[in-house]
Amino acid sequence: MRWKNISLKVKLILFIVVSVIIVLASTTAMIISTVTTQEEALAYQQAIEMAKSYANEFNGDMNTNQAIAKIIATSMSNYESANRDEVNNMLYGILVSHPSLLGTYVAYEPNAFDGKDNLYINAVGHDATGRFIPYWNKMNGPIKLDPLLYYETSDYYQLPKKLKSNVLTEPYYYEGVFMVSYVYPIMKDDEFIGIGGVDVSLYYLDEILSNVKAFDTGYAFMTSNRGMLLSHPYNKQWIGNRTLYDFGTEEISQAADDIKEGKSGHVETIDINTGKKVVMFYEPIRTGNFSFVLVVPKDEMFAGVIALRTKLLHISMAAIIFMAAIAYLIALFVTRPINQIVAGFKKISNDAVRGKLDTRASTDVEIDFREIPQGLNEILDAVITPIRDTIRVTNALAKGQLDARSKLDVHGEFKQLATTLDNFAESLDTMIKDSNSVLTAVQNNDFSRSIQVHGEGDFRILTEGIERTRKTLDHMMTERRQIEQIRKKEIHHRIKNNLQVISSLLDLESDKFKDPKVIEAFRNSQSRVISMALVHEELYRSEDMESIDFADYITKLVNDLSRSYMMNNNIDIKVHIATVFLDMDVAIPLGMIVNELVSNSFKHAFRSGDEGSIIIDMNYEAEKFILIVSDNGRGFPENMDFRQTESLGLQLVTTLVDQIDGTIELERNHGTRFIITFK
């Protein structure tokens, strides 16, 4: 029998059934391969995530221990009381409140704590040197106080002293206990005076890690960055005495190399304890330069993968049988609607030849074949619809509706026609919108917006004319701003010169008097005038002439004051002001306030020949400025209220503080300290 004489139904059955079986078989094989590969990757990822989770957990513990050591050292760096009992109580309290710690301690250089080491020789918590070296620890169970040992040679003291930075020691034995130390240097005026730190026993790590289980029989341990075993669930004698390199296995040695470099990863090897094939995962613990190691038997990791592969094979075989049966039924129903579709095609082709493009194929056929007449109808629609839409867009553009666009999803030459028309409308619309944007900006005195879209032909006359007009107006406004800038500079310059003339006249006039009070009054007035003149000088030099660099202004002001009070040449003035720019309405009152307070410190805080310092601080906190003017002189009189004094300077200070809506407070501890707060 010739192939072309075989019925379509038989051909469809043969093609569909055979094709479905081939496709399903190959697809099933691919799915099984892909899924099992993904499951294997998931098993690896599960173990890696477990290792990372434990590593992060221990890293958090070590961060906490490091933070406690830092708190101890920082507290001691700022500690002023020099009370050994008080420090011992603090160390004891920290050890009690953190059960995971083995010990807390500080250790000072000779006589660096209170200069009284000779009074504490061989006292509790001290050795024969009398140095302050208390070590609160739980070495033997209950908390007790001992003096630190081996500090002259051990890394826990010598490394922070040498490096002047925090140190996490390598694991070591101290009085028979395997531990690590978190240590920070105690610094005073950038000088090393001792250490503060905590000790953590590594035995607690072994207790925790010995209980870690992965899958069924997997286990975990920890190493230092040099590969030394810090824990092991089965061989306790290896802890602190053996490294990964000692196993003599290439894969484990490779893992040790990665651990030394702070890398994570995994290797496949033979377990030294069980002889099974295992996968060893390792993750660095950044804070301690340690590494968490997870050992998982390979057969346990992939047990789920093997079970899944078997289940997928069974499901796939059932699917192949089922789909073959479905394909057979589909083939039986294919031939019936074919004749109906062919008849519809003949009718459409006959009408198309006669120019009747409105004829459409009937879509009342089996749903599986419905797309054939629908596709033919879409072809006919694709011919008529673009023509009608092109007419619509052209009419809209002729009426000035420049946002009209072709909304059809067409292809080929119809697409080219629609795109050409849309591009024309888009170009025209863009050019007009761009020109309107420039004109709107010009109306708002913004001449920086230039023409971005230049027209072609007659349209270019319009866009270039707008651009030339914009440039002309921009040039005129620039010249106007420059003239205004010069005028402002001249005003500030003249005010500064006039104030300097007033200062010079006050200086000359003061020479006519002998009375010290009169001369002092002239000097005070002169310094006030100078403080205002400096503001105008800074405004003259600033770029925007609206605000000044307040830190630079105050530095120049106190330099002038220092030269005015040459008799107090032992007084050191320190200015600590962050970079901040203030306008004239705030800068002038603040400058006069600083002038009055610093002048008062020069005149009243120090006796002739005294040494001391005047400090000016200003910072910005909680949306407020805080200005502090202080000295370490003999202090403001206790029986005097600075707000009710007859001193013109202090009256002026309180008035100026009110002027800037601020508050002023006085502290008399260790000298005089005025605190001014304003927004």
Side-chain angles (χ1 to χ4, degrees):
M1 181 180 293
R2 297 178 64 181
W3 177 254
K4 67 179 181 179
N5 294 326
I6 297 176
S7 67
L8 179 60
K9 180 164 62 177
V10 174
K11 290 179 181 178
L12 285 174
I13 292 173
L14 290 174
F15 282 130
I16 294 175
V17 172
V18 173
S19 298
V20 166
I21 291 175
I22 293 173
V23 170
L24 279 177
S26 59
T27 303
T28 299
M30 185 180 298
I31 291 173
I32 291 174
S33 175
T34 301
V35 171
T36 52
T37 300
Q38 290 176 348
E39 284 296 315
E40 289 180 2
L42 185 62
Y44 272 101
Q45 189 62 33
Q46 181 181 355
I48 290 171
E49 291 301 326
M50 182 183 294
K52 285 184 178 180
S53 175
Y54 278 107
N56 289 335
E57 180 180 346
F58 286 112
N59 191 66
D61 292 342
M62 293 177 181
N63 272 329
T64 300
N65 296 333
Q66 191 173 47
I68 296 170
K70 183 177 182 180
I71 290 171
I72 293 174
T74 303
S75 300
M76 292 298 97
S77 295
N78 299 317
Y79 186 64
E80 301 292 345
S81 299
N83 187 321
R84 300 193 182 201
D85 290 338
E86 192 172 65
V87 175
N88 273 318
N89 289 336
M90 179 194 72
L91 294 175
Y92 175 81
I94 291 174
L95 185 57
V96 169
S97 59
H98 295 85
S100 63
L101 298 180
L102 178 65
T104 57
Y105 52 87
V106 296
Y108 278 83
E109 290 283 273
N111 285 313
F113 182 73
D114 55 7
K116 300 177 181 179
D117 287 357
N118 61 316
L119 301 178
Y120 293 92
I121 294 174
N122 290 324
V124 177
H126 301 75
D127 59 13
T129 65
R131 290 169 65 170
F132 191 39
I133 50 173
Y135 181 37
W136 289 91
N137 64 87
K138 299 182 287 188
M139 302 281 283
N140 298 314
I143 297 176
K144 64 175 181 176
L145 174 61
D146 294 318
L148 283 170
L149 304 176
Y150 319 121
Y151 51 83
E152 293 293 352
T153 57
S154 294
D155 286 347
Y156 76 85
Y157 189 90
Q158 296 303 320
L159 282 179
K161 179 177 180 180
K162 178 181 178 181
L163 301 176
K164 295 185 179 180
S165 66
N166 61 297
V167 170
L168 173 59
T169 66
E170 281 292 311
Y172 67 102
Y173 282 95
Y174 181 92
E175 293 295 286
V177 178
F178 196 43
M179 66 171 66
V180 292
S181 299
Y182 299 83
V183 191
Y184 275 78
I186 302 174
M187 308 294 291
K188 282 285 188 180
D189 300 325
D190 294 328
E191 292 293 329
F192 174 85
I193 62 171
I195 63 167
V198 298
D199 289 340
V200 178
S201 171
L202 293 178
Y203 293 140
Y204 94 99
L205 294 176
D206 184 58
E207 293 176 2
I208 295 173
L209 291 171
S210 294
N211 294 320
V212 173
K213 296 297 180 185
F215 294 90
D216 293 329
T217 62
Y219 61 91
F221 61 91
M222 189 178 293
T223 73
S224 71
N225 67 327
R226 296 180 181 177
M228 179 185 294
L229 295 182
L230 306 182
S231 70
H232 199 279
Y234 304 122
N235 298 285
K236 306 300 182 183
Q237 69 276 13
W238 291 353
I239 299 175
N241 298 312
R242 198 165 186 180
T243 69
L244 294 177
Y245 294 104
D246 295 335
F247 293 121
T249 302
E250 181 180 354
E251 294 82 7
I252 297 178
S253 297
Q254 177 188 339
D257 291 338
D258 288 346
I259 289 171
K260 184 182 296 184
E261 295 177 7
K263 297 179 179 178
S264 61
H266 62 272
V267 295
E268 294 186 12
T269 185
I270 302 299
D271 190 358
I272 302 298
N273 296 292
T274 64
K276 294 181 178 180
K277 288 184 178 181
V278 295
V279 182
M280 179 185 292
F281 298 88
Y282 44 93
E283 282 291 332
I285 302 175
R286 304 295 182 187
T287 301
N289 290 330
F290 299 156
S291 187
F292 177 84
V293 182
L294 188 67
V295 181
V296 183
K298 196 171 181 180
D299 56 353
E300 293 179 11
M301 281 183 61
F302 299 141
V305 175
I306 295 170
L308 178 62
R309 182 185 291 118
T310 303
K311 186 180 294 185
L312 285 174
L313 284 172
H314 292 159
I315 294 173
S316 298
M317 290 301 297
I320 289 174
I321 295 172
F322 175 76
M323 289 304 297
I326 295 298
Y328 175 77
L329 294 176
I330 291 173
L332 293 179
F333 289 96
V334 167
T335 56
R336 183 173 58 83
I338 291 178
N339 291 334
Q340 181 182 351
I341 293 172
V342 171
F345 265 78
K346 286 182 179 180
K347 183 176 184 303
I348 290 172
S349 63
N350 291 333
D351 288 345
V353 170
R354 297 186 182 94
K356 295 176 62 178
L357 299 180
D358 288 334
T359 303
R360 297 293 183 266
S362 173
T363 57
D364 185 18
V365 295
E366 298 290 340
I367 190 170
D368 297 309
F369 299 96
R370 196 168 295 165
E371 291 185 0
I372 297 175
Q374 287 177 347
L376 181 60
N377 292 340
E378 289 173 1
I379 293 173
L380 296 173
D381 291 338
V383 173
I384 297 175
T385 304
I387 296 174
R388 293 174 178 172
D389 190 65
T390 300
I391 295 172
R392 179 189 64 79
V393 174
T394 304
N395 289 334
L397 292 177
K399 295 177 182 178
Q401 299 174 4
L402 301 182
D403 58 345
R405 298 290 184 273
S406 176
K407 300 178 180 179
L408 299 179
D409 184 14
V410 293
H411 304 281
E413 294 183 1
F414 292 118
K415 180 67 174 180
Q416 183 178 357
L417 174 63
T419 301
T420 301
L421 192 59
D422 285 350
N423 289 342
F424 170 73
E426 183 71 27
S427 298
L428 188 60
D429 190 28
T430 302
M431 181 187 69
I432 293 175
K433 286 181 179 178
D434 183 63
S435 299
N436 284 338
S437 297
V438 174
L439 292 174
T440 302
V442 169
Q443 290 173 353
N444 295 324
N445 293 324
D446 178 10
F447 304 100
S448 61
R449 174 69 165 84
S450 63
I451 288 289
Q452 304 294 322
V453 182
H454 295 271
E456 298 293 336
D458 292 340
F459 290 123
R460 181 175 289 275
I461 297 174
L462 171 64
T463 56
E464 290 186 351
I466 294 173
E467 181 64 10
R468 284 195 297 271
T469 302
R470 182 195 67 80
K471 289 181 178 179
T472 300
L473 292 173
D474 186 30
H475 180 70
M476 293 172 60
M477 292 303 295
T478 300
E479 288 183 344
R480 181 178 177 182
R481 285 194 295 269
Q482 290 175 345
I483 293 171
E484 183 69 18
Q485 196 83 346
I486 294 171
R487 186 178 68 82
K488 285 184 178 180
K489 279 184 172 287
E490 182 64 23
I491 290 172
H492 286 303
H493 187 62
R494 289 188 180 185
I495 292 174
K496 186 259 299 186
N497 287 344
N498 290 337
L499 289 173
Q500 287 180 337
V501 169
I502 294 172
S503 174
S504 299
L505 290 174
L506 289 172
D507 187 42
L508 292 172
E509 195 66 23
S510 67
D511 292 339
K512 297 178 181 180
F513 297 92
K514 301 298 183 179
D515 188 340
K517 293 185 178 180
V518 174
I519 295 172
E520 182 65 26
F522 273 102
R523 177 184 290 179
N524 290 340
S525 299
Q526 185 180 7
S527 65
R528 291 162 187 155
V529 170
I530 289 173
S531 70
M532 291 185 287
L534 280 175
V535 171
H536 288 283
E537 181 178 2
E538 291 295 316
L539 287 169
Y540 171 74
R541 297 180 184 278
S542 68
E543 293 185 2
D544 60 1
M545 288 180 293
E546 300 293 336
S547 60
I548 66 171
D549 184 344
F550 191 67
D552 184 58
Y553 164 60
I554 291 299
T555 301
K556 291 180 180 179
L557 178 62
V558 298
N559 286 339
D560 282 344
L561 286 173
S562 181
R563 287 193 293 271
S564 297
Y565 293 93
M566 290 296 293
M567 71 290 293
N568 288 330
N569 55 9
N570 292 327
I571 307 305
D572 181 27
I573 302 182
K574 300 177 181 178
V575 179
H576 305 298
I577 299 179
T579 301
V580 61
F581 289 85
L582 301 177
D583 60 30
M584 183 173 66
D585 293 339
V586 177
I588 289 179
L590 280 181
M592 295 185 70
I593 290 170
V594 172
N595 177 78
E596 296 302 326
L597 296 179
V598 173
S599 297
N600 279 349
S601 294
F602 270 119
K603 291 185 293 185
H604 305 299
F606 306 98
R607 299 180 181 88
S608 179
D610 283 354
E611 293 184 357
S613 62
I614 301 173
I615 301 174
I616 304 171
D617 286 299
M618 192 172 85
N619 52 58
Y620 188 74
E621 296 179 2
E623 299 184 354
K624 291 184 178 180
F625 287 100
I626 300 175
L627 172 66
I628 301 174
V629 181
S630 61
D631 62 61
N632 59 356
R634 53 188 172 179
F636 200 87
E638 291 288 343
N639 58 353
M640 181 181 292
D641 183 357
F642 74 93
R643 291 186 175 87
Q644 302 297 328
T645 179
E646 295 180 357
S647 167
L648 177 60
L650 290 176
Q651 292 178 13
L652 182 60
V653 168
T654 56
T655 300
L656 291 172
V657 169
D658 291 337
Q659 181 178 327
I660 61 175
D661 295 328
T663 62
I664 181 170
E665 300 293 336
L666 170 62
E667 293 182 358
R668 293 182 169 91
N669 297 331
H670 306 294
T672 302
R673 179 182 173 95
F674 284 95
I675 304 171
I676 296 117
T677 304
F678 63 97
K679 293 185 177 179

